[in-house]
């Protein structure tokens, strides 16, 4: 007999274990460990759209329109660092975190080649010591991390934002869009637990994103714009592009 639950974090860790890895019954498990992402990023020549070192079109638009300004930035689930490198080139002081050491190693290589300074951190953003992700950050960027989290980890995500996002700071988020047969599962949260499978990522409606991030102020929520292959920006229409702002301190 092994009793493992004493704290809220113990409950969250127990729930993490309910989701299958990709080795079980041939199911694809994402958001539940670095091994999947290490294999995902191992071949840098794979024709994966977001392997190309281009920033999200909405992130570039936020800067060009003056909605966000250079400051301290945190890139959650940074992958090979395409958005982190862009922000550094635009004058931000950037911390970039990812579960996968393979991904962050690629990001460090890219930063060196581009001649920009990005502080890459490898680990789980929810469990890294506060000294590593101390904040406060003026901008948190998430291009594909949130929609790979199991439902219970939304609480960890919101807790992290509450700890590190500066009053008046922004969250720039992209996530799978529900409603048109695009990418991302539209199963209910309860059904995801019954199946023990994250279905390759979760789709969201605008209403669900507004509800989850209701403690923040919505600045913009729209479809990401399609960008042609020759563009210097990354853009696909099956993603939401959202910008939220944390209210100023009282």
């Amino acid at each position: 007999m092994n009793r493992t639950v004493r704290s809220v974090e113990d409950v969250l860790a127990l729930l993490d274990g309910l989701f299958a890895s990709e080795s079980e019954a041939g199911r694809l498990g994402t958001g539940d460990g670095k091994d999947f992402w290490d294999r995902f990023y191992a071949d840098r020549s794979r024709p994966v759209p977001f392997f190309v070192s281009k920033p999200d079109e909405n992130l570039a638009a936020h800067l060009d329109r003056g909605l966000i300004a250079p400051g301290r930035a945190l890139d959650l689930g940074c992958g090979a660092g395409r958005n982190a490198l862009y922000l550094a080139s635009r004058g931000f002081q950037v911390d970039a975190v990812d579960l996968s050491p393979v991904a962050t190693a690629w990001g460090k290589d890219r930063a060196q080649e581009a001649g920009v300074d990005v502080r890459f951190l490898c680990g789980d953003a929810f469990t890294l010591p506060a000294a590593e992700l101390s904040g406060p950050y003026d901008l948190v960027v998430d291009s594909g991390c949130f929609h790979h989290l199991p439902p219970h980890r939304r609480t960890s995500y919101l807790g992290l934002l509450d700890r590190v996002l500066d009053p008046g700071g922004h969250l720039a988020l992209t996530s799978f869009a529900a409603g048109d047969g695009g990418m991302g599962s539209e199963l209910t949260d309860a059904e995801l637990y019954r199946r023990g499978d994250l279905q390759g990522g979760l789709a969201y409606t605008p209403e669900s994103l507004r509800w989850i991030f209701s403690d923040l102020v919505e600045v913009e929520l729209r479809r990401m714009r399609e960008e042609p292959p020759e563009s210097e920006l990354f853009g696909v229409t099956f993603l939401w592009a959202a910008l939220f702002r944390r209210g100023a301190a009282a």
Side-chain angles (χ1 to χ4, degrees), residues 5-234:
V5 174
R6 183 176 180 273
S7 68
V8 171
E9 188 56 41
D10 291 337
V11 174
L12 297 177
L14 179 66
L15 293 173
D16 287 342
L18 298 182
F19 289 95
S21 70
E22 72 275 9
S23 62
E24 296 179 22
R27 291 184 292 185
L28 181 66
T30 57
D32 58 350
K34 73 178 185 64
D35 292 344
F36 171 87
W37 295 109
D38 280 346
R39 289 190 288 274
F40 188 85
Y41 283 102
D43 182 0
R44 299 182 182 183
S45 66
R46 290 175 61 204
V48 177
F50 57 85
F51 275 14
V52 180
S53 190
K54 300 178 179 181
D56 288 342
E57 63 82 11
N58 53 295
L59 187 60
H62 297 332
L63 274 165
D64 292 343
R65 294 165 58 197
L67 297 177
I68 56 177
R72 290 196 69 201
L74 172 63
D75 188 354
L76 287 175
C78 65
R82 56 189 183 84
N83 284 315
L85 269 64
Y86 173 75
L87 290 172
S89 74
R90 294 290 299 263
F92 284 83
Q93 179 185 345
V94 185
D95 290 346
V97 61
D98 199 279
L99 277 175
S100 168
V102 176
T104 54
W106 189 3
K108 290 175 183 178
D109 290 344
R110 280 180 163 175
Q112 185 174 20
E113 292 169 4
V116 296
D117 185 20
V118 175
R119 178 172 172 256
F120 283 95
L121 300 167
C122 184
D124 184 341
F126 304 139
T127 60
L128 283 173
E132 291 289 328
L133 291 181
S134 58
Y137 295 101
D138 304 291
L139 174 66
V140 173
V141 174
D142 178 346
S143 185
C145 175
F146 177 74
H147 62 214
H148 284 302
L149 297 177
H152 59 277
R153 281 298 174 183
R154 294 178 202 137
T155 62
S156 304
Y157 191 99
L158 294 173
L160 179 65
L161 289 181
D162 188 58
R163 180 170 67 83
V164 304
L165 186 59
D166 205 29
H170 290 86
L171 168 66
L173 174 75
T174 65
S175 69
F176 290 146
D180 62 357
M183 294 188 67
S185 172
E186 299 188 27
L187 293 177
T188 65
D189 287 350
E191 185 61 25
L192 292 169
Y193 286 99
R194 280 191 285 268
R195 297 193 183 200
D197 186 352
L198 292 177
Q199 304 279 301
L202 311 185
Y204 289 87
T205 64
E207 293 75 22
S208 61
L209 291 176
R210 289 176 177 127
W211 175 71
I212 291 166
F213 296 105
S214 58
D215 288 341
L216 304 178
V217 178
E218 179 185 332
V219 178
E220 182 175 76
L221 177 52
R222 61 169 173 83
R223 288 288 183 137
M224 180 180 269
R225 298 188 182 96
E226 186 77 32
E227 292 289 333
E230 65 273 15
S231 173
E232 295 181 354
L233 305 174
F234 172 82

